[in-house]
Amino acid sequence: MNRRTLLKQLGAVVVAAPLARAWGETARPARLRLGYQKGSIALVLAKEHRLLERAYPQLALDWLEFPAGPQMLEALNLGRLDVASTGDLPPLFAQAAGADLVYIGAEPAKPRAETLLVPVGSPLHSVAELKGKRIGLQKGSSSHNLVLRLLQREGLAFSDIQPVYLAPADANAAFSQGSLDAWAIWAPYSALVLHQGQARLLADGTGLGLNGPLYTARRDYARAHGAFLNELLAQLSQAEALTRSDREGSLDILVRVMGLDRQVVADYLDHRPPSPIGPITPEILAAQQRSADLFVSNGLLPRKVEVKAALI
């Protein structure tokens, strides 16, 4: 798709408010510090197409890349970030740490993107066999939630395994070196090691009731610029839709940004549902609360978290 056609297509999309809450008249911000990861499809495409820069030419826009959600929400908690896109669990850890954030939107769940891998020659063939094993994961991430939910389903506690808390790049190195019995990681990292023949899928998030990616903002920013946030999420949904209307062009961008083989990224997109950003529903809040309560009961969160407190 050429650039003129792309811009015409984007311009023809009506910007709709994805949030259930009706925001009042609020001011346009002078600045937006927006957190993303390499796997954040909507944000990566919006950034590479300069969609937000064209929509808001007067906006001072900072794109800030993070290796995972916990690091991103730590920056938000410290006032260094305005809006973040993470997995389901980082907001709960941020709330427990006292971050004054609010949920502003959600993508559909992607259970197959949350994976638990073992080395290709591993003797392990079930989650039940992980008792006493070393499992690499990013603490406070969606992978942390995946592991705990899988263990719960097998009647095991988190204390039954040996968690090794590592950021994705470090966990990848440890997994490749044989230092881990299993690795809990999200796509596209998982797609890469599976494609390279280094790993075998032991389990994924199917049937666990996990939420998809969540969008959060600093509470004071959301209160001051709520109507703008509606527009922002609708713009990001337009960018995400390019994975279907301009698949090859989107692949070109994602391959370059992610630094992955084209077939790996293509497989990632093919197993990913359409993901417009929608409202925070009662079902999403209930799933978040179940996760929060589960982590508290396992001693993995320092205090009880009331998820609904992160709403305006």
Side-chain angles (χ1 to χ4, degrees):
M1 182 182 295
N2 63 43
R3 183 168 179 80
R4 177 175 295 179
T5 302
L6 172 64
L7 295 180
K8 182 178 179 181
Q9 175 183 306
L10 288 173
V13 178
V14 176
V15 175
L19 304 182
R21 188 187 190 284
W23 296 94
E25 289 297 322
T26 53
R28 284 280 178 87
R31 184 183 186 190
L32 171 63
R33 297 167 299 175
L34 186 54
Y36 75 103
Q37 303 171 57
K38 287 187 186 298
S40 304
I41 300 295
L43 286 104
V44 168
L45 292 178
K47 179 178 184 291
E48 294 300 310
H49 285 297
R50 295 184 59 81
L51 180 58
L52 301 182
E53 288 84 350
R54 290 188 292 102
Y56 308 106
Q58 305 305 315
L59 180 68
L61 179 57
D62 299 323
W63 292 92
L64 303 173
E65 183 182 336
F66 293 83
Q71 294 90 328
M72 194 184 305
L73 291 191
E74 181 180 2
L76 188 143
N77 190 24
L78 294 173
R80 298 172 183 167
L81 196 64
D82 302 312
V83 175
S85 170
T86 71
D88 57 351
L89 201 62
L92 300 179
F93 271 73
Q95 278 188 268
D100 197 15
L101 58 79
V102 293
Y103 292 97
I104 61 172
E107 292 184 19
K110 301 172 180 64
R112 294 178 65 183
E114 299 294 340
T115 66
L116 183 60
L117 308 178
V118 294
V120 68
S122 172
L124 302 174
H125 291 278
S126 71
V127 173
E129 295 175 277
L130 291 174
K131 188 171 184 178
K133 303 300 183 183
R134 291 168 55 85
I135 303 178
L137 65 147
Q138 167 73 63
K139 184 177 182 179
S141 71
S142 58
S143 292
H144 203 167
N145 202 5
L146 172 74
V147 171
L148 186 53
R149 293 288 190 98
L150 287 172
L151 293 172
Q152 181 192 39
R153 190 165 66 182
E154 295 296 329
L156 298 174
F158 199 75
S159 58
D160 288 324
I161 65 164
Q162 298 181 54
V164 182
Y165 294 127
L166 296 168
D170 295 329
N172 189 14
F175 186 79
S176 299
Q177 294 164 7
S179 300
L180 300 173
D181 297 301
W183 179 23
I185 187 60
W186 54 88
Y189 293 104
S190 54
L192 174 61
V193 293
L194 287 167
H195 180 76
Q196 292 175 336
Q198 300 176 24
R200 170 168 50 83
L201 179 67
L202 186 69
D204 63 23
T206 301
L208 295 179
L210 303 174
N211 279 327
L214 297 171
Y215 290 76
T216 54
R218 291 193 351 260
R219 186 181 297 272
D220 59 348
Y221 193 91
R223 282 179 171 165
H225 310 299
F228 166 76
L229 291 180
N230 266 329
E231 296 177 14
L232 170 68
L233 298 185
Q235 294 280 356
L236 294 177
S237 289
Q238 291 181 32
E240 190 280 332
L242 293 173
T243 60
R244 296 174 296 284
S245 63
D246 182 26
R247 185 179 186 276
E248 293 306 308
S250 297
L251 269 174
D252 290 340
I253 289 172
L254 296 171
V255 165
R256 173 170 51 81
V257 171
M258 294 178 180
L260 300 176
D261 181 88
R262 190 177 187 87
Q263 189 57 52
V264 171
V265 181
D267 289 346
Y268 175 35
L269 289 185
D270 290 344
H271 292 93
R272 179 180 181 274
S275 297
I277 304 166
I280 300 296
T281 64
E283 292 76 18
I284 289 172
L285 290 176
Q288 286 295 95
Q289 192 63 59
R290 286 194 296 272
S291 292
D293 294 345
L294 181 60
F295 270 74
V296 170
S297 68
N298 278 266
L300 298 171
L301 277 178
R303 64 180 179 87
K304 182 173 175 58
V305 169
E306 291 292 341
V307 174
K308 63 183 181 182
L311 295 176
I312 289 187

